Amino acid sequence: MHQQKEKKYYITTPIYYVNSTPHLGHAYTSIACDVMARFKRLDGYNVYFLTGTDEHGEKVQRSAHKAGMDEQSFVDSLFPAFQNTLRVMNCSNSDFIRTTEKRHADYVKQVWKTMVNNDDIYLGKYAGWYSIRDEAFFSEDEIIDGRSPTGAEVSWIEEESYFFRLSKWQEKLLQLYEAQPDFISPKSRYKETVSFVTNGLHDLSISRTSITWGIPVPGSSKHVMYVWIDALFNYLSALQTDDLYKTFWPCDLHVVGKEILRFHAVYWPAFLMAMGIELPRKIFAHGWLVAGDGQKMSKSIGNVVDPVALCEKVGCDTLRYFFMRNVPFGNDGRYCEKNLILRVNAELVNSIGNLTQRVLSFIYKNLNQQIPTPSTFFEEDRILLNKTYTAIDRIRLAFDQQEIHVGLEVIYQLSNDANVYIDRQAPWNLSKYDMERTQTVLYTLAEVVRIISILLQPFVPTSANRLLQIMGLLEPDIDATSHVLFLNCDEASRLCPGHKICEPTIVFPRLKLD
Ligand code: MSP
């Protein structure tokens, strides 16, 4: 029983605001989560991967009015673009939740009532600095030169509001952070959160009378819920059917951008404690994709790139590779098309693509399309094979810490090592005078290519699937949904001599600079 619970994995993206079409920053979060979801699936876990759209709040209300539409028609017109982006990015989400769905609104209303009954919510009056862009209130000491800490415009607001007794949970939250240092990651974000909570928590305003586009507060005709209490509960409202809650809660990983960490690492656990619901295991805050000038890519700033158009231009796997490889996951990363092309050509094409093409073509052309029979392995063969069979352990350790970039580094290094090995062994010469040794060298290399193809699956699913098809390890599969589990990354699952491969085609085409 215990074991079954351990073998599940529930991962979430934040839900995206639908005040405009999706941009590359959204795609970044989704791709990172998809890579982790696929990784866990391939590692034998029962995975639930949730994403969706955050459709209420002032931002959406304003955008709808600007577009001359009612709010519901406005979000209805935009949310398909978010689903389409996920599809184009090849994201394997299990569900997609919209906060305007009945299942969500019903759940959140129930939560509100429970909190009122437990005296965790009371009616008061709010006065403070509010930023529409951040969807957040700020205290006087957080305002810098008349702007929010993120540089957004703020205005002074006074209104009647319901409050959540956040201050009551300060000690409990600090105890949580102390008992579970891994609750917030990376480490710098953990420290930042602990110091924020240590400085004292005010009760949180959780309703608005100044807007109408939100879930109505039960029993009130003028209040709607503040968008964050509504939005955070999507992680639970999506699990209300088919035993999903029993199977997947608590959530294993909430992945969020660094600017929304506070909502997830402070407010969310406090809400859950108030509800008596088990807490998620980990919140990971990633960095931003920044434009050439260092500014966060954002719709409000207007410096965004369309992910669908970019995918059509460079290919989805290419984009996935670049995003996960460019900077350590957690740091900010500059997006620029030239860097994408240079990196992908240098690594995915010149190293990994070149290796797989050289090895598979040699076997196809010179070894009768069959995996050769190895004889005695030399020291250099054994060193390379040892690195190959232990790669999954190193990647698994990295993924436990969400170090996705390290995973790709391991694969890239392995490919480089194999390229050095192939150049040293020079099978094209060897085959002229020593066929036995040639076969051992090519067997060793075929094993490296097999493992690299398996390991690449979470990152570049379509290309990895094609490689595995060429190797005859997967049936032809137009949708590229079949896969080879990581438990095959060991020596015991090695290729059988005589196994037929298919004719190799270029899997990683070179990108051209405009
Ligand atoms: N709706 C809230 C989240 C509620 S979760 C209960 C929200 N939405 S958002 O659309 O503004 O952002 C969603 C996610 O996209 C966040 O994790 C955010 O960090 C990410 N990104 C938006 N722009 C980004 C970049 N330029 N770079 C990387 N990620 C970015 O916040």
Side-chain angles (χ1 to χ4, degrees):
M1 187 66 194
H2 177 70
Q3 236 198 338
Q4 211 179 14
K5 192 97 180 145
E6 284 311 300
K7 269 295 197 187
K8 67 87 186 173
Y9 197 75
Y10 178 28
I11 179 169
T12 66
T13 72
I15 47 173
Y16 303 104
Y17 283 130
V18 284
N19 52 326
S20 170
T21 47
H23 66 73
L24 213 53
H26 299 145
Y28 181 75
T29 310
S30 300
I31 288 176
C33 290
D34 185 62
V35 170
M36 292 188 269
R38 284 176 185 268
F39 186 90
K40 285 289 179 185
R41 264 186 226 119
L42 289 160
D43 218 11
Y45 285 73
N46 180 15
V47 172
Y48 203 73
F49 168 21
L50 180 69
T51 187
T53 39
D54 190 353
E55 305 194 348
H56 291 126
E58 189 161 6
K59 256 190 212 181
V60 175
Q61 181 168 332
R62 279 190 180 222
S63 304
H65 290 178
K66 228 177 169 175
M69 291 168 89
D70 70 85
E71 294 87 350
Q72 190 63 55
S73 313
F74 180 72
V75 294
D76 286 349
S77 73
L78 278 177
F79 102 92
F82 284 83
Q83 286 195 319
N84 185 47
T85 306
L86 290 165
R87 193 185 53 76
V88 173
M89 300 291 153
N90 207 351
C91 287
S92 59
N93 49 302
S94 320
D95 194 2
F96 184 100
I97 187 152
R98 303 177 62 190
T99 53
T100 50
E101 282 175 68
K102 186 171 181 307
R103 59 169 170 162
H104 176 75
D106 286 351
Y107 184 80
V108 179
K109 283 182 200 159
Q110 228 18 72
V111 165
W112 185 283
K113 285 184 196 156
T114 309
M115 285 184 176
V116 170
N117 288 343
N118 295 346
D119 192 33
D120 277 305
I121 290 180
Y122 64 93
L123 187 61
K125 195 165 180 239
Y126 190 83
W129 293 105
Y130 185 69
S131 149
I132 297 179
R133 195 172 96 193
D134 301 321
E135 295 268 15
F137 280 98
F138 296 96
S139 60
E140 199 68 61
D141 52 341
E142 286 179 295
I143 300 298
I144 309 159
D145 296 333
R147 288 179 173 268
S148 82
T150 67
E153 268 181 39
V154 289
S155 49
W156 185 256
I157 285 188
E158 278 185 34
E159 61 179 61
E160 182 188 275
S161 170
Y162 283 96
F163 284 84
F164 172 75
R165 294 190 197 279
L166 182 64
S167 53
K168 179 173 139 186
W169 300 100
Q170 179 174 355
E171 273 318 304
K172 281 258 164 16
L173 285 167
L174 289 172
Q175 284 164 15
L176 162 72
Y177 305 147
E178 199 176 329
Q180 262 175 264
D182 213 25
F183 183 71
I184 303 163
S185 191
K187 202 83 227 136
S188 57
R189 304 281 165 215
Y190 170 85
K191 288 187 189 146
E192 187 184 293
T193 310
V194 172
S195 99
F196 171 75
V197 176
T198 308
N199 282 339
L201 293 175
H202 302 289
D203 287 349
L204 187 69
S205 161
I206 51 164
S207 75
R208 299 286 176 269
T209 52
S210 53
I211 63 165
T212 50
W213 185 236
I215 299 178
V217 165
S220 159
S221 55
K222 43 180 190 178
H223 289 259
V224 298
M225 289 183 204
Y226 171 43
V227 69
W228 274 98
I229 191 165
D230 162 355
L232 284 163
F233 277 95
N234 88 86
Y235 302 131
L236 276 161
S237 66
L239 300 187
Q240 295 313 303
T241 47
D242 304 332
D243 268 358
L244 288 174
Y245 178 82
K246 253 201 260 158
T247 311
F248 291 106
W249 194 262
C251 181
D252 295 271
L253 186 66
H254 290 305
V255 178
V256 301
K258 62 182 181 182
E259 81 284 13
I260 56 171
L261 177 65
R262 186 184 297 179
F263 300 93
H264 286 81
V266 182
Y267 306 163
W268 180 225
F271 291 156
L272 291 172
M273 286 179 191
M275 292 292 295
I277 296 175
E278 202 176 338
L279 302 183
R281 298 218 162 107
K282 191 174 195 176
I283 321 286
F284 185 94
H286 67 70
W288 290 338
L289 217 54
V290 297
D293 58 2
Q295 283 218 77
K296 181 189 178 208
M297 251 186 216
S298 116
K299 286 178 229 176
S300 328
I301 298 171
N303 56 354
V304 297
V305 175
D306 173 9
V308 173
L310 186 62
C311 260
E312 273 160 17
K313 186 168 172 192
V314 300
C316 159
D317 279 355
T318 303
L319 189 60
R320 292 173 66 106
Y321 183 88
F322 177 73
F323 274 175
M324 295 303 102
R325 172 81 173 120
N326 194 36
V327 290
F329 192 53
N331 293 4
D332 287 352
R334 212 167 277 259
Y335 171 75
C336 131
E337 202 172 307
K338 185 175 164 204
N339 287 352
L340 178 149
I341 292 176
L342 292 177
R343 192 181 263 276
V344 165
N345 279 347
E347 300 182 1
L348 207 48
V349 180
N350 289 354
S351 179
I352 299 174
N354 193 26
L355 171 76
T356 53
Q357 188 65 17
R358 285 205 284 180
V359 171
L360 298 173
S361 297
F362 193 98
I363 295 175
Y364 192 81
K365 288 190 191 132
N366 305 318
L367 299 175
N368 202 22
Q369 307 160 25
Q370 287 176 8
I371 298 298
T373 307
S375 45
T376 315
F377 288 109
F378 291 3
E379 176 70 6
E380 55 264 42
D381 312 334
R382 269 188 263 116
I383 290 175
L384 183 58
L385 284 174
N386 186 40
K387 267 198 183 159
T388 307
Y389 295 133
T390 54
I392 180 63
D393 303 329
R394 275 169 284 146
I395 301 179
R396 202 179 272 130
L397 279 180
F399 266 73
D400 283 346
Q401 304 303 319
Q402 288 70 48
E403 291 173 346
I404 306 180
H405 54 288
V406 175
L408 278 179
E409 177 67 24
V410 170
I411 299 174
Y412 176 55
Q413 282 309 331
L414 184 57
S415 156
N416 282 346
D417 290 348
N419 274 319
V420 170
Y421 170 91
I422 198 171
D423 287 341
R424 280 213 192 115
Q425 305 296 326
W428 40 89
N429 291 334
L430 204 56
S431 60
K432 291 180 194 143
Y433 58 90
D434 186 349
M435 220 33 212
E436 196 175 298
R437 177 71 192 140
T438 306
Q439 296 214 25
T440 307
V441 166
L442 261 301
Y443 185 87
T444 304
L445 285 164
E447 274 296 271
V448 180
V449 172
R450 177 178 75 88
I451 301 289
I452 284 182
S453 309
I454 297 176
L455 295 175
L456 277 176
Q457 293 175 103
F459 305 98
V460 289
T462 310
S463 313
N465 181 281
R466 277 186 57 200
L467 280 173
L468 291 163
Q469 281 183 43
I470 295 172
M471 293 202 82
L473 296 172
L474 284 179
E475 293 295 315
D477 169 11
I478 295 166
D479 295 331
T481 48
S482 55
H483 49 259
V484 178
L485 293 175
F486 288 154
L487 55 87
N488 295 293
C489 284
D490 62 354
E491 193 174 352
S493 315
R494 65 188 172 274
L495 289 159
C496 290
H499 172 84
K500 278 254 177 210
I501 67 162
C502 307
E503 183 168 11
T505 49
I506 305 268
V507 174
F508 300 107
R510 183 170 307 280
L511 298 176
K512 287 198 190 78
L513 264 176
D514 281 340

